[in-house]
Amino acid sequence: MAYLSIGTLLSLLGSGVSVPAADSNIIPIEGYTEFLLWASVAVAALVGVLVIWAIWRYRARAGDQEYAPQIHGNTPLEIGWTVAPAVLLAVLFGLATYFQLTSSRSAGAGLPKGRPPDIIVIAHQFWWEFRYPKLGIVTANEFHIPVKQDIVVQVESDDVIHDLWMPALGEKMDAVPGQTNYEVLYAPKPGSYNGACAEYCGAEHAWMRPYAVAQTPAEFRRWVRHEKTLPAKPTSQLAKAGEKYFMSNTCIDCHTIAGTKANGRVAPDLTHFGSRKFIGAGVMTNRTQNLKAFLKDPQAVKPGILMPDFHLSDQQVNELTAYLEGLK
Amino acid sequence: MSDVPLIPEHATQFPQVKRMNALLEWVATVDHKQIGMMYLFGTFFFLLVGGVEALLMRIQLAQPNEHFLSPQDYNQLFTMHGITMIFLVVMPMLLGLANYVVPLQIGARDMAYPRLNALSVWMFYFGGMILYASFLAGGAPDAGWFAYVPLSTPPYTTNVGMDYYGIGLLVSGIGTVATALNLVATIFLYRAPGMTMRRLPLFTWMVLFNSFIILFAMPALNASLVLLLLDRMLGAHFFDVLAGASPLLWQHYFWAFGHPEVYIMVLPAWGIISEVVPVYSRKPIFGYGAVAGSTIAIAFLSFAVWGHHMFTSGMGTLSDLLFSGASLMIAVPTGIKIFNWIATAWKGKIHFTTSMLFALAFIVQFTVGGVTGVQFGIVPFDRLTTDTYYVVAHFHYVLFGGTLFGLFAGFYYWFPKAFGRMLSERLGKWNFWLMFVGFNTAFFVQHALGWMGMTRRIWTYPDYPNWGLYNMISTVGSFILAAGVLLFAYNVWHSARHGELAGENPWDAWTLEWATTSPPPHYNFDQVPPVRSRRPLWDLNHPDMADKD
């Protein structure tokens, strides 16, 4: 039923809302949300119809200089259109409050159900750090969750205010420095879900896109095992040269690669970089040509990113690309 | 046809630039009509500036992964667009109109404090100039009009723009407070004999309560700006997270001003609608008491709802619910107004002047913005849709589809009074339909974009299904809208010279400003007609149907 309504309406407009596609980034319409939208459409439509009716019915014909009956008001009628909206609003308030207080997926300042968080998200300018305290794994920008489970996410910030939002998976919550907030993500079915930073955070607010993969419990366990293993050591000459360059330069002060001396936390963890779908928090897909362009001049690809242009030679770019792509 | 015009040619009211000393007369004036005009022309100029900023953004957003603007440019543009439209267009434009109309509507000779009035308008100009000087000083403000800390403080800001934001808004803000004070004093002290508070024209009534909101809300902003400037320039620690401050403190300070500000930007527009709809329906306002009384309720409630801007900040459940309840309550007095306006037109004899078209479009568009506003008052719903294009659509329906359409209704209504000539109705119809079609094309699709997950304040976006298409539609709409606004400028320029002569009361309206010549003499009235009801000129012109009061 839920999708037979505003969803249909929006899909008529061409948005395709009714069928959440792969890489969904659309807010689902269900429960009180649907009621609220219909009530709103009804009120706006009522006003629209009344205005259009009045325009049509009471228009002055050309040359008509007569006066209308001088009516100054009608108290019962006015009480009516005071009380009726008040009742509607009270119902809306009651419904939403009931939902907010009883739903296990309500976001807020307090830890839901007193559960320890499944994921701690730390927002940075302009990327996301995902830490799984119970599983002991760390990843950046891309994270995985099991389907059909409430995932409690603790949201923090390392610099300015950000906001973690996965439109198809739940409510959004600000990442406020010096404060912890919580939100709950729920993936109804396996698939990939796009997200965004929803609080303006500076130059590259646009390219701070988290990406979630929802998996069956078995697949999720396999992913966790994979994340816990160290990435393969480079074998090719090119990749080895890339590793040497990475480890002997300032890269290691900002990035972490597990099992190496690179342990910076200012920039995204690159431990399994090769298995991620995107570069630069969504700015490009993770392909060889894109990665080379990124390394050649990050500021050209993602202007305002905190990674400076290191003026690498083409040879150095090729080496680093080979090394990073092998980190799976 | 006789060659003798029925309406005598009027004397020119405003100092013409051609004349010697004309510029000095503008600079030195303390006349409320001239000051009102200075406000209106200055704000219209800034409307064009803010409009160009918006069009640049719309070009950048017309398609995914566009590089027409850099993110740094885009962020300065959206920040300056917001600041400009709020502080240099909508609010002072309403104050300018109030400056021109209110003394005339209450039968006064001028504002209570003419020199303070002149100071106010110059503070507005200086504030605007300081803000825009930031472009020359190395970069405009780029932390949003809301200037959330810590993004608005070092080390996260890299240019001096936010200092210009603080100082510029402080300067224009002081001018705004002075004008509000002036309007309150004028309305309380200088009403014509017989004009009791209960006979106040509704525009003046709304301006009065608007001024009270300004008096209580603007100081909150001004004080917060001082704290922000101290943090930025002298290294104070009011908002320093590392020193133990909470970033939410600024948000509370800012929105304690920021939400009343939303009502500051809409109350006088409600006043315009409450004047225009009755006159062109040939009927008195339906339920004067309810329209006036609901304004008082809104003025009070407007101070209790700011938290609905912070539902995702983690204030705590109790705060969330209290602010949510108060926010929903404000929809009741707002709904009363909408229904009373419709009831005013009901059984009327509706004359479709351009002014009336703008007013009718206001009612519908403001309602659309109003119902989405109610949605944002609901905590869990807000957490789905806030900071998306759903919000952008919402507040443009309130502030553009609402307030600016209301202002245009007011311009077409009062222009004949100020210039002695009618605005061209033919151009006016084009003006209206371009703006109506352009506005709805530009902003309606943004509801869907928000629902499809597009967040605000992003300089570009990935090529998700339909995002490019909808954004392109929005961009096309914004250019149609811009054409409508430019046509209005041409209409003013043309009609001020060649328009049909207006005479004292071209609309057969009934408030006192129509009882003097168009344009009014420097001293406003030779003689103020007796005020025995809410519609003094109606009583005079239609004694058989006079109001009983």
Side-chain angles (χ1 to χ4, degrees), chain A residues 288 291-292 295 316-326:
Chain A
T288 308
L291 183 55
K292 283 183 179 169
L295 290 169
Q316 288 161 337
V317 166
N318 290 341
E319 290 166 2
L320 280 172
T321 304
Y323 171 55
L324 291 172
E325 284 191 326

Side-chain angles (χ1 to χ4, degrees), chain A residues 69-81, chain B residues 202 273-275 277-279 281-294 335-348 510 534-535:
Chain A
Q70 300 297 299
I71 304 162
H72 289 266
N74 181 327
T75 309
L77 209 55
E78 290 176 65
I79 291 173
W81 64 56
Chain B
L202 280 169
I273 302 303
S274 306
E275 297 291 335
V277 171
V279 166
S281 304
R282 297 277 182 271
K283 271 181 70 200
I285 186 84
F286 191 93
Y288 176 97
V291 176
S294 59
I336 291 175
K337 287 190 166 55
I338 301 223
F339 287 118
N340 275 298
W341 290 325
I342 296 174
T344 304
W346 208 259
K347 294 193 175 169
W510 39 70
R534 286 173 191 143
R535 298 194 291 169

Side-chain angles (χ1 to χ4, degrees), chain A residues 46-95:
Chain A
L46 173 70
V47 168
V49 166
L50 287 176
V51 167
I52 291 168
W53 174 255
I55 288 174
W56 179 252
R57 175 71 182 75
Y58 302 109
R59 68 191 189 281
R61 307 297 201 282
D64 186 350
Q65 289 305 324
E66 271 188 46
Y67 289 95
Q70 300 297 299
I71 304 162
H72 289 266
N74 181 327
T75 309
L77 209 55
E78 290 176 65
I79 291 173
W81 64 56
T82 309
V83 173
V87 171
L88 178 63
L89 288 164
V91 170
L92 284 176
F93 182 67
L95 263 178

Side-chain angles (χ1 to χ4, degrees), chain A residues 33-277:
Chain A
T33 322
E34 189 182 12
F35 176 71
L36 179 55
L37 285 174
W38 273 115
S40 306
V41 170
V43 171
L46 173 70
V47 168
V49 166
L50 287 176
V51 167
I52 291 168
W53 174 255
I55 288 174
W56 179 252
R57 175 71 182 75
Y58 302 109
R59 68 191 189 281
R61 307 297 201 282
D64 186 350
Q65 289 305 324
E66 271 188 46
Y67 289 95
Q70 300 297 299
I71 304 162
H72 289 266
N74 181 327
T75 309
L77 209 55
E78 290 176 65
I79 291 173
W81 64 56
T82 309
V83 173
V87 171
L88 178 63
L89 288 164
V91 170
L92 284 176
F93 182 67
L95 263 178
T97 305
Y98 177 79
F99 174 86
Q100 192 193 344
L101 296 181
T102 58
S103 167
S104 63
R105 292 173 205 151
S106 238
L111 197 54
K113 292 190 268 177
R115 264 173 61 181
D118 299 300
I119 303 177
I120 296 174
V121 177
I122 304 167
H124 303 258
Q125 279 182 323
F126 302 95
W127 63 282
W128 301 94
E129 179 179 352
F130 293 93
R131 308 182 81 87
Y132 292 68
K134 295 175 197 162
L135 304 171
I137 55 181
V138 179
T139 175
N141 296 327
E142 182 173 321
F143 67 109
H144 290 225
I145 54 172
V147 286
K148 293 193 196 311
Q149 280 182 35
D150 289 349
I151 308 294
V152 177
V153 181
Q154 177 174 319
V155 189
E156 299 172 8
S157 170
D158 188 42
D159 37 50
V160 301
I161 303 175
H162 304 267
D163 187 302
L164 179 74
W165 189 37
M166 307 300 301
L169 302 182
E171 297 176 355
K172 63 171 76 71
M173 211 61 204
D174 288 357
V176 183
Q179 186 179 324
T180 47
N181 286 331
Y182 298 91
E183 67 184 65
V184 180
L185 302 180
Y186 177 86
K189 54 184 181 182
S192 49
Y193 297 87
N194 291 313
C197 173
E199 187 61 78
Y200 175 61
C201 60
E204 275 299 355
H205 172 54
W207 293 118
M208 186 168 165
R209 296 190 165 274
Y211 178 73
V213 179
Q215 296 172 307
T216 60
E219 282 174 350
F220 179 71
R221 278 194 298 276
R222 203 170 318 137
W223 177 77
V224 170
R225 268 202 305 282
H226 170 255
E227 289 293 301
K228 286 179 128 168
T229 50
L230 294 180
K233 277 278 159 197
T235 48
S236 74
Q237 265 326 99
L238 206 60
K240 278 182 178 161
E243 182 187 34
K244 185 158 176 257
Y245 186 86
F246 192 98
M247 294 304 160
S248 53
N249 280 285
T250 188
C251 314
I252 56 170
D253 296 324
C254 296
H255 293 282
T256 292
I257 296 174
T260 73
K261 63 176 175 176
N263 62 357
R265 281 188 60 187
V266 182
D269 183 301
L270 298 175
T271 304
H272 294 93
F273 173 79
S275 53
R276 289 193 201 135
K277 191 173 173 188

Side-chain angles (χ1 to χ4, degrees), chain A residues 12-37:
Chain A
L12 280 178
L13 289 167
S15 72
V17 166
S18 55
V19 196
D23 287 358
S24 182
N25 45 269
I26 291 158
I27 306 173
I29 300 170
E30 55 204 8
Y32 83 96
T33 322
E34 189 182 12
F35 176 71
L36 179 55
L37 285 174

